[in-house]
Amino acid sequence: MPVDDAQFKLAMSHFASGVTIVTTEHDGKPYGLTVASFASLSLRPPLVLVCIDNGVRSRDAITAAGKFGVSILGADQAGLSGHFASRSEDKFAGLKVEAGATGVPLIGGALCTIECRVHAQFAGGDHTIFVGEVLEIHASEGSPLVYFRSSYRQIS
């Protein structure tokens, strides 16, 4: 008997994850979305992966730009997570954004920012798996924003 969507989502909600905003810039326009499907992949070379829904504009922009940024959010940035999860046309209006060394927009105040060059991409059902070669990292101290069982949580 196949697993239905609700059953799958419930099972996945039991896995606590950090929250990131994945960004890129293409043809002078910034793109970004909230992503929980982020992981380290390799130490040598330094690689990470993000999984992006095929139906969002950011997916095509990452493919065209060949680069992306990952901003790992802090506990006080739940509002940004919700904002970038929306279908808003201009998600960057009025936000503190910093241009990275590669030109990708990065979220100000994030716990850590990682800039990547697309190393590979693979089909993964209704998502694309982007493997990024890590080019730049900037980290700071603080508590992470955590998502567990469909809610933001604090680590205490």
Side-chain angles (χ1 to χ4, degrees):
M1 181 168 175
V3 174
D4 68 29
D5 291 357
Q7 200 177 19
F8 184 71
K9 286 180 181 180
L10 177 63
M12 293 301 101
S13 77
H14 285 73
F15 183 72
S17 68
V19 182
T20 70
I21 295 175
V22 174
T23 54
T24 195
E25 181 277 329
H26 179 61
D27 284 342
K29 182 176 179 188
Y31 294 83
L33 72 162
T34 301
V35 173
S37 298
F38 163 77
S40 63
L41 179 61
S42 170
L43 184 59
R44 292 186 190 101
L47 301 174
V48 297
L49 66 82
V50 296
C51 303
I52 308 292
D53 185 310
N54 291 334
V56 299
R57 291 183 298 267
S58 294
R59 181 241 176 250
D60 294 335
I62 292 170
T63 297
K67 60 187 176 182
F68 62 91
V70 179
S71 297
I72 300 172
L73 299 184
D76 61 342
Q77 294 180 307
L80 282 173
S81 172
H83 178 72
F84 275 86
S86 76
R87 297 199 181 274
S88 171
E89 284 295 317
D90 188 2
K91 295 178 184 179
F92 293 87
L95 295 180
K96 181 181 174 190
V97 178
E98 302 161 358
T102 62
V104 297
L106 301 168
I107 303 302
L111 280 183
C112 182
T113 58
I114 302 167
E115 296 178 68
C116 302
R117 174 186 311 119
V118 174
H119 177 76
Q121 67 186 70
F122 305 96
D126 57 4
H127 281 62
T128 297
I129 303 161
F130 288 96
V131 175
E133 177 187 0
V134 177
L135 304 174
E136 295 279 335
I137 296 173
H138 298 280
S140 60
E141 294 296 318
S143 296
L145 182 60
V146 177
Y147 198 70
F148 177 69
R149 302 209 47 203
S150 303
S151 296
Y152 297 112
R153 307 295 174 125
Q154 301 263 337
I155 294 178
S156 53

